[in-house]
């Protein structure tokens, strides 16, 4: 268990700072009666104010008499457990856990808490090892940029504060060069996992992401996000623009369309293009299309598919929109999946470890959607993906398939697209935009940032 140190740089909205500040009052009040207090709303804290709070906590924090120095104790609510029961697991007395729960309930409905929610506590233990631990402070995030903190006032009562961090809405223009991989390079520059996935799906319609992309290839991604004053991303919008090796994609929603699509600079819809491979990450092509000696039977025969060597669990994505025809066990293919696409094309996938969520016969899938995961089921010598394509019932070489791309915009849609393209181009030229955001990032329609 790590010793609680108020000097430690906070990883989130200063949780350790606030819990350390709570130690100041508890050090003077060990053993006194606890009284729940009403929630107190405080103004949005600036970086300077947060720094001042940290300095004050460091200067004054001490262990209560007879107690060890406070230690940071993370807590996660278990299935079927109440907030009070979770607090009790830190070792504090039942009456203290009840007082903390009652205090938090003044500002937050504890019935809304779900299993898996995490919060942090600072706990001091008796030096002689006898008796209950003492809660020094508690912090719990209640929103993308807000949290509740529990500390003690000088009269011994529990004090509840609601802290709200300033949030800025940004349109980010992220530019870089590929180093180890496109996804790793983009993540290092600040792109979230969802943005990287979206961009990779687009680029996979034009490039073989394993063999065509080289170190020093330049890329650009443009997207909206909400960022706290401390630099933490709390909400991410959709990918707005992506460019790789001079190939560009602009996000635009035509009139009457159910969802936005991506177009090239001339207004051609790129959504219906077939992705070059159904894997965005694989080690190598272990067996190409053509005659080969079968690794198990030893006979030389026509190999009418491509095998991609990849680790078990590597996501397999649909190379184009389609409908699942089969998702079942099939002899030497092991776990087998077949998808019917437009233009008389069908794709097949063998040796899968498992299927994607909801994948079954009759299910519609979208280009780039995870439909399965690489495995080694059936007649297989190791983890890999068996990938084959048919056109009008005849097997064809997946590496040579060419499909017609989408139609071009015209009329009012083309004019609207050109206006949106010009706006995005201006944002890119300016290096991005910043403006004040609503305090709750979710109100702007942005997704909570995950990884």
């Amino acid at each position: 268990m790590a010793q609680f140190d108020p000097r430690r740089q906070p990883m989130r909205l200063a949780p350790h700072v606030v819990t350390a500040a709570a130690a100041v009052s508890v050090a003077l009040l060990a053993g006194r009666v606890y009284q729940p207090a009403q929630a107190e709303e405080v103004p949005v804290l600036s970086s300077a104010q947060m720094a001042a709070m940290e300095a004050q906590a460091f200067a004054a924090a001490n262990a209560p008499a007879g107690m060890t120095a406070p230690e940071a104790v993370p807590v996660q609510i278990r299935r079927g457990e109440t907030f009070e029961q979770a607090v009790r697991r830190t070792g504090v007395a039942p009456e203290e856990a009840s007082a903390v729960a009652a205090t938090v309930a003044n500002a937050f409905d504890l019935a809304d808490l779900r299993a898996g929610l995490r919060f942090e506590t600072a706990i001091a233990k008796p030096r002689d090892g006898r008796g209950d631990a003492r809660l020094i402070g508690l912090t719990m995030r209640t929103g993308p940029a807000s949290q509740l903190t529990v500390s003690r006032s000088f009269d011994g009562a529990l004090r509840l504060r609601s802290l709200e961090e300033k949030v800025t809405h940004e349109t980010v223009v992220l530019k870089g060069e590929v180093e180890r991989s496109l996804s790793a390079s983009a993540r290092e520059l600040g792109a979230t996992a969802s943005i990287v996935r979206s961009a990779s799906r687009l680029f996979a319609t034009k490039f073989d992401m394993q063999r065509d992309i080289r170190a020093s290839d330049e890329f650009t991604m443009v997207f909206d996000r909400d960022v706290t004053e401390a630099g933490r991303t709390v909400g991410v919008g959709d990918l707005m623009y992506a460019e790789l090796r001079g190939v560009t994609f602009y996000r635009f929603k035509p009139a009457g369309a159910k969802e936005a699509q991506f177009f090239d600079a001339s207004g051609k819809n790129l959504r219906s293009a077939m992705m070059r491979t159904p894997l965005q990450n694989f080690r190598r092509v272990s067996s190409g299309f053509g005659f080969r000696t079968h690794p198990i039977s030893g006979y030389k025969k026509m190999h009418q598919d491509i095998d991609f060597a990849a680790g078990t669990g590597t996501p397999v994505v649909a190379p184009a929109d389609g409908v699942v025809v089969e998702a079942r066990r099939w002899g030497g293919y092991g776990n087998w999946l077949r998808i019917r696409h437009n233009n008389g094309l069908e794709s097949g996938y063998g040796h899968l470890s498992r299927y994607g969520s909801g994948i079954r016969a009759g299910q519609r899938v979208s280009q780039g959607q995870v439909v399965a995961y690489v495995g080694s089921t059936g007649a297989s010598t190791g983890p890999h993906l068996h990938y084959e394509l048919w056109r009008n019932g005849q097997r064809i070489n997946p590496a040579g398939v060419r499909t017609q791309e989408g139609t071009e915009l015209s009329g009012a849609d083309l004019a609207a697209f050109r206006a949106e393209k010009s706006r995005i181009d201006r944002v890119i030229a300016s290096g991005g935009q910043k403006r004040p955001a609503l305090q709750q990032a979710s109100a702007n329609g942005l997704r909570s940032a995950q990884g």
Side-chain angles (χ1 to χ4, degrees), residues 4-308:
F4 178 71
D5 184 356
R7 293 170 290 181
R8 185 182 305 158
Q9 181 65 29
M11 296 297 293
R12 296 196 300 248
L13 181 54
H16 299 303
V17 174
V18 179
T19 51
V24 178
S25 53
V26 174
L28 303 176
L29 298 164
R32 299 178 70 172
V33 179
Y34 312 132
Q35 299 176 354
Q38 295 296 316
E40 177 183 353
E41 296 291 337
V42 299
V44 175
L45 297 180
S46 66
S47 295
Q49 290 171 319
M50 296 296 287
M53 179 183 289
E54 182 176 7
Q56 181 182 6
F58 170 66
N62 291 292
M67 309 294 284
T68 62
E71 297 176 331
V73 180
V75 181
Q76 183 175 21
I77 296 180
R78 298 171 178 171
R79 186 179 300 276
E81 185 178 52
T82 66
F83 177 77
E84 181 176 335
Q85 290 168 337
V87 173
R88 182 71 181 89
R89 281 195 286 109
T90 65
V92 303
E95 60 270 19
E96 183 164 328
S98 178
V100 172
T103 301
V104 172
N106 286 321
F108 188 83
D109 189 350
L110 295 179
D112 292 337
L113 298 181
R114 296 291 181 265
L117 180 137
R118 300 173 186 270
F119 58 92
E120 295 189 25
T121 63
I123 301 296
K125 296 181 179 180
R127 292 187 181 277
D128 60 7
R130 293 178 294 185
D132 297 310
R134 180 69 52 78
L135 187 136
I136 306 302
L138 179 148
T139 66
M140 181 175 68
R141 188 162 297 284
T142 56
S146 61
Q147 71 177 18
L148 296 177
T149 68
V150 175
S151 59
R152 299 188 186 280
S153 61
F154 285 100
D155 62 359
L158 291 170
R159 185 175 184 182
L160 181 68
R161 282 195 174 197
S162 177
L163 303 178
E164 196 79 29
E165 196 174 3
K166 290 182 179 179
V167 176
T168 300
H169 182 79
E170 298 181 343
T171 299
V172 180
V173 178
L174 187 153
K175 291 187 176 184
E177 291 185 354
V178 175
E179 294 181 3
R180 299 191 309 276
S181 69
L182 173 67
S183 59
S185 299
R187 291 296 299 273
E188 288 174 359
L189 291 174
T192 62
S194 62
I195 292 298
V196 171
R197 284 194 298 268
S198 296
S200 297
R201 290 171 186 171
L202 291 175
F203 296 145
T205 64
K206 291 293 186 180
F207 306 104
D208 182 323
M209 298 302 290
Q210 292 294 114
R211 292 177 289 184
D212 293 344
I213 308 305
R214 299 287 184 266
S216 78
D217 282 343
E218 296 182 348
F219 66 89
T220 302
M221 299 177 190
V222 180
F223 54 94
D224 288 335
R225 69 179 178 186
D226 278 348
V227 183
T228 67
E229 190 178 13
R232 187 170 53 86
T233 299
V234 295
V236 181
D238 293 310
L239 181 69
M240 185 184 306
Y241 171 91
E243 179 182 358
L244 178 64
R245 295 177 57 179
V247 178
T248 59
F249 301 84
Y250 291 84
R251 187 174 188 271
F252 175 70
K253 184 177 181 181
K258 293 183 179 180
E259 58 183 21
Q261 303 162 19
F262 282 90
F263 299 81
D264 65 13
S266 67
K268 180 183 291 185
N269 184 351
L270 300 171
R271 182 174 174 79
S272 61
M274 177 74 75
M275 294 172 65
R276 294 285 298 276
T277 67
L279 291 176
Q280 294 172 9
N281 293 290
F282 59 91
R283 298 191 186 101
R284 69 186 191 282
V285 173
S286 55
S287 186
F289 191 92
F291 281 96
R292 68 161 186 174
T293 299
H294 195 276
I296 295 180
S297 68
Y299 292 105
K300 191 170 184 178
K301 59 185 296 187
M302 185 66 177
H303 186 238
Q304 296 182 301
D305 62 88
I306 294 179
D307 289 342
F308 296 96

